[in-house]
Amino acid sequence: MSIQNNLELVRNKIIEAEKKSGRKEGSVKLMAVSKFHPSDAVIEAFNAGQLLFGENRVQEASVKFPPLIQAHPEISVHMIGQLQSNKVKKAIEYASCIQSVDRIDLLHEIEKQCTKINRKIKILFEVHTGEESKSGYTSEADLLDSIEKCAKGEFPHIIPQGFMTMAPFTDDEKLVRNSFITLRNLSEKIRPQFPSLSLTELSMGMSGDFEIAIEEGSTLVRVGTAIFGERDYSK
């Protein structure tokens, strides 16, 4: 199967899931996660109409994407992997959004680096809802503190857009669904407290669970393997 065919299949599944959930067609954005896949694969996806891509590692993305964005300015890249503070400077040069903001220190570093080049960047707050990794806010108080500082204008170059999470890697659909429900409920609870911010984005769902995520309110799904095939981790 070609990347174009895979994209078509995934897009059709998204439309079906939107219908099943009683949601408007086009209410869910598709991100193609291109980590460990070469520029050629990104170009193939771009030629099939895909404009939004996700990358985990700054080292890889900072080589792969600047030339692609220069040639095709309509391409946008979101960083979705845990971001070390010392990698922020490079990430903001090409990324349009950092989805993995998981601590206040990272907000300070993003603001500092964006100030230097006078660039604004979108972010999502990553919330820990059951994935085994260490990333994501685990404390609601810490999350609220970070959002409040954004609302007060302490980070003028940062534009909060909403929330992101990763469901557990399990075949237990109930656990996966609960992870998405947790984020949706948290979002619905927090949003009214910060009317000056647009916190409507819910980035949740990957290749194995994006249809469940859409049923539970996802507005952006992050799909890699179902589009590009298995990754070659040896590179």
Side-chain angles (χ1 to χ4, degrees):
M1 290 283 275
S2 70
I3 288 171
Q4 182 172 350
N5 289 342
N6 291 343
L7 269 168
E8 210 169 303
L9 279 173
V10 171
R11 286 171 183 149
N12 287 336
K13 284 181 179 178
I14 290 172
I15 290 166
E16 284 305 310
E18 286 170 335
K19 277 184 195 161
K20 186 178 173 184
S21 315
R23 295 174 64 184
K24 197 174 125 194
E25 189 178 316
S27 59
V28 179
K29 294 187 281 290
L30 170 61
M31 167 190 288
V33 178
S34 47
K35 64 175 182 180
F36 297 116
H37 293 288
S39 299
D40 291 354
V42 175
I43 288 294
E44 202 179 322
F46 170 75
N47 288 336
Q50 182 63 31
L51 301 178
L52 176 60
F53 295 88
E55 286 282 331
N56 282 55
R57 302 191 314 171
V58 173
Q59 199 174 347
E60 179 189 349
S62 62
V63 173
K64 186 165 38 179
F65 272 96
L68 291 172
I69 292 168
Q70 198 168 2
H72 308 286
E74 58 271 53
I75 285 177
S76 60
V77 187
H78 289 195
M79 294 310 297
I80 57 175
Q82 194 170 22
L83 188 60
Q84 295 168 315
S85 293
N86 64 353
K87 298 281 170 59
V88 169
K89 184 181 177 181
K90 263 212 174 314
I92 61 157
E93 288 173 4
Y94 59 86
S96 61
C97 178
I98 295 170
Q99 291 205 11
S100 47
V101 171
D102 58 359
R103 59 197 188 279
I104 191 74
D105 292 359
L106 189 56
L107 284 166
H108 282 290
E109 187 59 27
I110 294 168
E111 177 60 32
K112 178 179 153 188
Q113 297 301 337
C114 282
T115 303
K116 285 180 186 175
I117 61 171
N118 194 24
R119 175 155 196 239
K120 292 194 173 184
I121 194 162
K122 295 173 181 174
I123 63 135
L124 300 183
F125 297 99
E126 183 177 358
V127 180
H128 184 99
T129 62
E131 212 276 315
E132 286 78 8
S133 75
K134 299 287 192 294
S135 56
Y137 282 90
T138 51
S139 152
E140 192 177 318
D142 288 347
L143 174 63
L144 285 167
D145 179 54
S146 292
I147 299 172
E148 193 170 348
K149 283 179 165 61
C150 289
K152 283 179 176 172
E154 289 188 28
F155 307 113
H157 293 84
I158 291 173
I159 308 162
Q161 298 280 285
F163 306 92
M164 184 265 253
T165 198
M166 286 175 73
F169 292 111
T170 173
D171 293 328
D172 185 336
E173 189 184 306
K174 193 178 174 191
L175 283 177
V176 171
R177 197 177 287 277
N178 282 345
S179 170
F180 299 145
I181 291 169
T182 298
L183 189 69
R184 185 189 72 219
N185 288 344
L186 186 68
S187 165
E188 287 173 357
K189 178 183 170 186
I190 288 174
R191 276 207 320 263
Q193 298 176 48
F194 301 98
S196 66
L197 300 178
S198 172
L199 297 170
T200 53
E201 198 81 275
L202 279 183
S203 171
M204 52 190 201
M206 303 195 297
S207 285
D209 56 26
F210 69 85
E211 288 151 297
I212 299 169
I214 290 169
E215 287 171 27
E216 297 305 339
S218 175
T219 63
L220 190 158
V221 293
R222 313 181 301 271
V223 181
T225 307
I227 293 170
F228 294 108
E230 293 298 329
R231 298 181 183 94
D232 181 358
Y233 290 102
S234 66
K235 290 177 182 170

